[in-house]
Amino acid sequence: SVSAESIQPSQNQNFVKKVIPKSQEQRDRIKRSVKHNFLFKNFDDEQYQDVVNAMEEKRVPANTTVIEQGGVGDFFYIVESGTLDCFITKDGGSPHKVTEYNAGGSFGELALMYNAPRAATIKSTSDCVLWALDRVTFRSILMENTSRKRKMYEAFLEEVPLLRSLEPYERHKIADALESSYYEDGDEVVKQGDVGDNFYMIESGKAIAYKLAEDGTKQEVYRYEKGGYFGELALLNDSPRAATVVAVGRLKCATLGKKAFTRLLGPVRDILKRNSENYNAIIEKEREHDQHT
Ligand code: 1OR
């Protein structure tokens, strides 16, 4: 299993930067490929240039094994185009598919981060254009960010009831994509009627959800505390925000964008849906209550 202790980022500050010459056209393609990849967020110009310089273009035909489970970790990969499947073989079992990748996806970071054997096999399902980043550059530049975030959110994500059924690795991927946001007492985090593009989990503090009736009266419908979540409905149903959520005291939320929400919370989609049916029950109850008073 993966342990955080084996990570020593930035041990290698004076490494000789690797430069593989590239055309402007290749640089443009890399830029498009990493645009939506969280691992490349918050890079300064120099870090970004160092990473782009070190990348190597690899064209692989369909049905090529790019990474073999148990093998030695040499490269981290970013997908420019094409599709790949990821398989895991447990002791004595047969390979089962755990995930897939397409343009903008990335894989192969674990063996480089933890000096561990490859945890999975990755095989192309169509012709692919990949950008490979060597181990030294990965460890020097990409790893610091990645391991910092995984560590920062690890304890919190373990405490979120919604995510309990996920594998540790699935929570790591969520950590990569999270951003924290802060609110003061009374701030509106989401507003009823707005378009929704984020999902929120409460890291600390409290919040209350209100529904606005047509006559302008506010009705409290839900209270949240640490480990609770909101903002999923608009993303699940492509609908406007169904309620306004307001911070009670200082509030800190871990947020996921819509794309990451869809991709990373797929495994708990059923739980999200099931829980959201409770909202209707709550609102029905309130309504009945109102009618009888
Ligand atoms: P790597 O360097 O070990 C194989 O090479 C890559 O497969 C690995 O890095 C990850 O980038 C990727 N568990 C471990 N590795 C995974 C997983 C995974 N999925 C993709 N990779 N699990 C599946 C989670 C959906 C956990 C299964 C228990």
Side-chain angles (χ1 to χ4, degrees):
S1 80
V2 287
S3 88
E5 280 71 48
S6 60
I7 299 190
Q8 282 143 7
S10 57
Q11 60 183 9
N12 208 340
Q13 292 295 10
N14 325 313
F15 74 107
V16 181
K17 291 179 181 180
K18 184 167 171 178
V19 180
I20 297 175
K22 287 182 188 71
S23 66
Q24 188 55 44
E25 181 264 343
Q26 283 178 306
R27 291 178 181 275
D28 291 344
R29 285 195 280 121
I30 294 175
K31 197 170 188 175
R32 279 197 298 275
S33 307
V34 304
K35 200 158 122 199
H36 298 291
N37 194 304
F38 312 104
L39 301 179
F40 292 79
K41 250 185 166 175
N42 309 320
F43 267 16
D44 61 35
D45 284 350
E46 189 186 351
Q47 289 172 317
Y48 179 76
Q49 285 315 328
D50 288 351
V51 166
V52 170
N53 281 336
M55 281 179 176
E56 199 177 322
E57 181 168 352
K58 293 204 174 170
R59 294 183 173 253
V60 303
N63 293 315
T64 307
T65 300
V66 179
I67 283 181
E68 184 138 33
Q69 186 173 338
V72 174
D74 44 6
F75 290 100
F76 166 72
Y77 295 91
I78 296 115
V79 184
E80 178 184 321
S81 61
T83 50
L84 306 98
D85 280 348
C86 176
F87 301 92
I88 290 185
T89 311
K90 297 226 165 104
D91 292 335
S94 48
H96 72 282
K97 182 175 158 181
V98 290
T99 188
E100 54 191 34
Y101 301 100
N102 55 28
S106 58
F107 55 83
E109 80 289 7
L110 282 181
L112 308 188
M113 287 176 77
Y114 299 99
N115 287 318
R118 292 295 197 187
T121 291
I122 298 188
K123 208 170 164 184
S124 57
T125 48
S126 67
D127 294 353
C128 291
V129 180
L130 306 176
W131 290 97
L133 190 64
D134 67 281
R135 170 188 197 96
V136 172
T137 311
F138 176 88
R139 287 187 68 93
S140 312
I141 304 173
L142 262 177
M143 187 162 105
E144 193 149 349
N145 237 333
T146 309
S147 64
R148 187 181 52 80
K149 273 188 119 177
R150 289 186 182 187
K151 267 191 203 158
M152 182 163 85
Y153 288 114
E154 186 173 62
F156 165 65
L157 292 178
E158 276 176 17
E159 297 298 315
V160 176
L162 172 70
L163 307 179
R164 214 156 265 161
S165 62
L166 295 182
E167 297 283 351
Y169 185 72
E170 294 175 309
R171 285 195 289 268
H172 286 328
K173 300 297 285 184
I174 293 174
D176 291 344
L178 286 176
E179 305 270 354
S180 291
S181 54
Y182 301 83
Y183 305 89
E184 300 296 333
D185 186 43
D187 284 353
E188 288 182 347
V189 185
V190 304
K191 196 168 180 191
Q192 187 172 336
D194 279 0
V195 174
D197 31 39
N198 280 309
F199 171 72
Y200 302 82
M201 292 178 282
I202 299 188
E203 287 184 71
S204 64
K206 292 189 163 71
I208 294 184
Y210 295 101
K211 278 233 180 223
L212 271 184
E214 276 177 19
D215 63 4
T217 52
K218 268 189 351 182
Q219 187 189 27
E220 180 183 322
V221 288
Y222 219 91
R223 284 181 179 243
Y224 304 99
E225 47 190 60
K226 184 179 174 184
Y229 66 85
F230 56 86
E232 81 291 11
L233 273 190
L235 306 187
L236 282 172
N237 306 331
D238 259 316
S239 56
R241 294 295 191 196
T244 296
V245 178
V246 177
V248 180
R250 251 181 89 69
L251 173 71
K252 181 182 181 193
C253 293
T255 69
L256 265 188
K258 182 170 183 169
K259 263 189 153 168
F261 170 85
T262 309
R263 190 163 49 84
L264 299 170
L265 295 188
V268 294
R269 207 185 154 84
D270 287 344
I271 303 178
L272 286 166
K273 286 234 155 188
R274 211 178 319 126
N275 289 349
S276 76
E277 282 154 19
N278 293 336
Y279 296 157
N280 291 333
I282 292 168
I283 291 161
E284 278 309 311
K285 237 191 191 156
E286 303 274 353
R287 210 171 274 149
E288 272 167 33
H289 176 78
D290 288 350
Q291 278 166 2
H292 295 128
T293 49

